[in-house]
Amino acid sequence: MAPPPMSSDASELRYVVVVDMDNDTQLDIIVANYGTNNMGILFGYGNGAFLKQMMISTDSNSHPSCIAIGDFNDDTQLNIAVVNDGTTNTDIFLGFLDIISYPTGSAPFTVAVRDFNNDTQLDRAVVNGNDNDMSVLLGYGW
């Protein structure tokens, strides 16, 4: 079974992550759909085929440009961090429905995830395109 075609705005795809999001030991694909203001998740069957793309809204004019994966709330489940180039925030998707937004500088463009301050919580470094600077968002677990 071939994967479904991506949106007609395929030229607006900005970032892709391959990870097992649903703990079924099969790799899944997550894409930042810059032009359509959403993320697409394709859950893998493990044989090269994928379920139809599940779309998750990142809000109007958000223009998601980069995705990072991590367990941001210490529940042993992977979460999605997305930077929205059209806003001044970055979002954490806990599961696929709960969204927590964090302010950044103007036009956040890319994100890196690590424990920068050695407190065992994941932190995020976000490059702000319009401000020519970087925001470091320290994690606190929940």
Side-chain angles (χ1 to χ4, degrees):
M1 172 187 222
M6 301 305 273
S7 73
S8 61
D9 294 320
S11 64
E12 293 291 334
L13 298 177
R14 291 292 168 98
Y15 203 83
V16 63
V17 174
V18 177
V19 65
D20 179 11
M21 278 303 294
D22 55 359
N23 292 322
D24 65 356
T25 71
Q26 309 304 322
L27 291 177
D28 309 308
I29 300 172
I30 305 170
V31 295
N33 296 319
Y34 184 88
T36 58
N37 299 308
N38 61 48
M39 291 182 300
I41 301 177
L42 295 96
F43 293 102
Y45 288 120
N47 62 359
F50 295 86
L51 290 172
K52 183 179 178 187
Q53 184 175 197
M54 179 176 92
M55 304 305 260
I56 299 175
S57 176
T58 55
D59 215 357
S60 64
N61 297 313
S62 58
H63 305 297
S65 60
C66 188
I67 298 168
I69 304 298
D71 180 8
F72 298 105
N73 59 351
D74 292 331
D75 67 354
T76 70
Q77 302 296 313
L78 292 178
N79 310 121
I80 303 169
V82 60
V83 291
N84 299 308
D85 186 30
T87 69
T88 58
N89 69 46
T90 180
D91 296 327
I92 299 283
F93 286 80
L94 304 173
F96 300 116
L97 300 175
D98 294 328
I99 305 169
I100 301 171
S101 291
Y102 297 89
T104 62
S106 180
F109 184 71
T110 191
V111 61
V113 175
R114 292 285 187 271
D115 179 8
F116 297 120
N117 60 351
N118 293 317
D119 66 354
T120 72
Q121 304 298 317
L122 285 180
D123 309 310
R124 288 160 290 142
V126 178
V127 172
N128 302 305
N130 287 351
D131 296 336
N132 201 26
D133 67 6
M134 180 177 67
S135 299
V136 176
L137 306 167
L138 298 177
Y140 55 87
W142 279 273

